[in-house]
Structure formats: C-alpha cells, structure tokens
Amino acid sequence: MSIEGVRRLVDEGRARSWALAELSRPGLTAVRHPLGFVCLPIERDGGDGVCLHVWSGSLAHTEVTTSQIHCHSWDLVSHVLYGQVRNVHVVVTDAGADATHRVYEVVSGADGDRISPTGRTVRHATGSVEVFGPGDTYTLAADRFHSSVVPEDGEAATIALGRGRPGARDLSLGPLDGAAHHVARQPLDAEETALAVRLITAHLT
C-alpha cells in the first residue's frame, strides 16, 4: 500500500486494524535501528517508506554511536499505536572554540549506515517538547533536529511514514573528535522477530 493509502487509513481511525493485518503477513523481518528501537519495514517505494517502530525492554537494541539528536532527509508522519513518545525539538547553533558537538552525515545502504564527521561544529539546546500518546499523529519536516524519547522502561510503537526530500541529508550530532565508522543494520532472527510481532499484537488486541 502506498504512503498516501496508509496515511488515509490513519486519518480514518483505522491504524490499529491496518497494523494488525500487516503484522500477520508472512516473511516479516525486523531490524535493530541505530537509534535504539526495532524497525519492521513494511513498504519501500523510491524515497517513500512505511515502517512499524517498537520500543521494548524485551528486545535487545543497538547502542547509539553518535547521539539521539538527529535530523532526517525525509518528511516524517508518525502515528502512536500505544505508549508515549516525546518529540524533543533541538535548536542547533554553529560554534567554533565553544562547540560541544560535531555534525555527522549518515548515508544508509543495504549493508547499514556509514557515519562520517563533517566540518561543522555546533552547540545545541532543547527547544519545545511535544508529548504524544495512543492515537496521536504528529509530523516533522526534513532537516529539523530532534530526538524521539520513550520514557524509561516504557513500551511504545508507532507507524512511521517517510517521504524523501531532494537535497536533504540524514545528520546526527556526535563527539567533536569522533571518527568515521560503519553501523550494520542487524536483522532479528525469526524467533525475535516473532517476539516483536507478539509484543505489538498484544498491545493492539
């Protein structure tokens, strides 16, 4: 189903039934996302993507190598299926000697993410904090620095719809002296993928 079709179902209040139907499809394979959650890719069409994201203490996660503060090369629509998600906006200011972080570019490929330091050094401050619960939908434009925060030990899942914006880049804030590195997207095995599916299903039924 196209990203527009999924957004229409979300707007019509049919997100939960759509998610349950997708979770019953054979052949789903979840992956550990570098930002600490588990992603179940549902649809990819050029620069458009539809995924289910799940945060759970029952699922092992990848340690973040830069920081949780990042911006996307795509416009995001996120719908909370259950739990609480805080969208923390971050104000990033270019800085020299008093910089606290460096901007890293993230280039994703089939084998994972290549993360490279840029010449841009910055300081940052917390901007507005939006709190969303079950049934809420929020949007975030490309090129906006933010972090998605789930309360400690919290359980949450979202439908994430992304539409690529030409010329935009995926960026993350990291240490001033960090080196280029590669982070593999680790697929979950069949047993742990099934666990992720059961966790989401249990919250939706």
Side-chain angles (χ1 to χ4, degrees):
M1 180 178 291
S2 69
I3 189 172
E4 290 88 357
V6 179
R7 178 64 191 271
R8 187 162 52 251
L9 292 177
V10 168
D11 292 342
E12 293 171 355
R14 298 162 62 189
R16 293 168 71 94
S17 59
W18 173 85
L20 286 169
E22 292 299 321
L23 289 168
S24 68
R25 284 189 350 192
L28 281 180
T29 300
V31 295
R32 301 187 212 284
H33 193 280
L35 289 174
F37 56 85
V38 166
C39 173
L40 289 101
I42 302 297
E43 187 70 42
R44 174 69 69 180
D45 182 13
D48 292 350
V50 180
C51 299
L52 292 171
H53 293 168
V54 57
W55 291 259
S56 174
S58 300
L59 299 169
H61 59 84
T62 301
E63 294 298 324
V64 179
T65 62
T66 50
S67 79
Q68 290 282 354
I69 300 172
H70 63 282
C71 74
H72 304 293
S73 61
W74 34 272
D75 297 318
L76 168 70
V77 176
S78 183
H79 177 82
V80 182
L81 289 167
Y82 62 83
Q84 183 188 96
V85 178
R86 298 172 186 166
N87 184 37
V88 181
H89 294 266
V90 178
V91 180
V92 173
T93 306
D94 290 338
D98 61 343
T100 59
H101 290 75
R102 184 175 298 278
V103 176
Y104 289 71
E105 182 174 13
V106 182
V107 178
S108 299
D111 61 343
D113 300 310
R114 186 67 183 171
I115 303 174
S116 303
T118 71
R120 184 183 178 192
T121 56
V122 301
R123 297 180 66 85
H124 70 84
T126 300
S128 62
V129 179
E130 303 169 303
V131 180
F132 300 101
D136 289 336
T137 301
Y138 65 95
T139 62
L140 184 75
D143 295 331
R144 294 289 301 273
F145 279 98
H146 79 123
S147 60
S148 298
V149 179
V150 171
E152 188 174 358
D153 298 326
E155 302 277 325
T158 64
I159 300 171
L161 311 177
R163 168 150 287 170
R165 183 181 293 186
R169 298 186 296 167
D170 292 310
L171 303 173
S172 180
L173 300 191
L176 290 170
D177 58 354
H181 57 285
H182 181 267
V183 177
R185 294 286 180 103
Q186 180 188 357
L188 278 63
D189 61 22
E191 182 178 351
E192 199 169 12
T193 293
L195 172 59
V197 169
R198 289 198 303 272
L199 286 170
I200 302 173
T201 301
H203 280 90
L204 298 182
T205 54

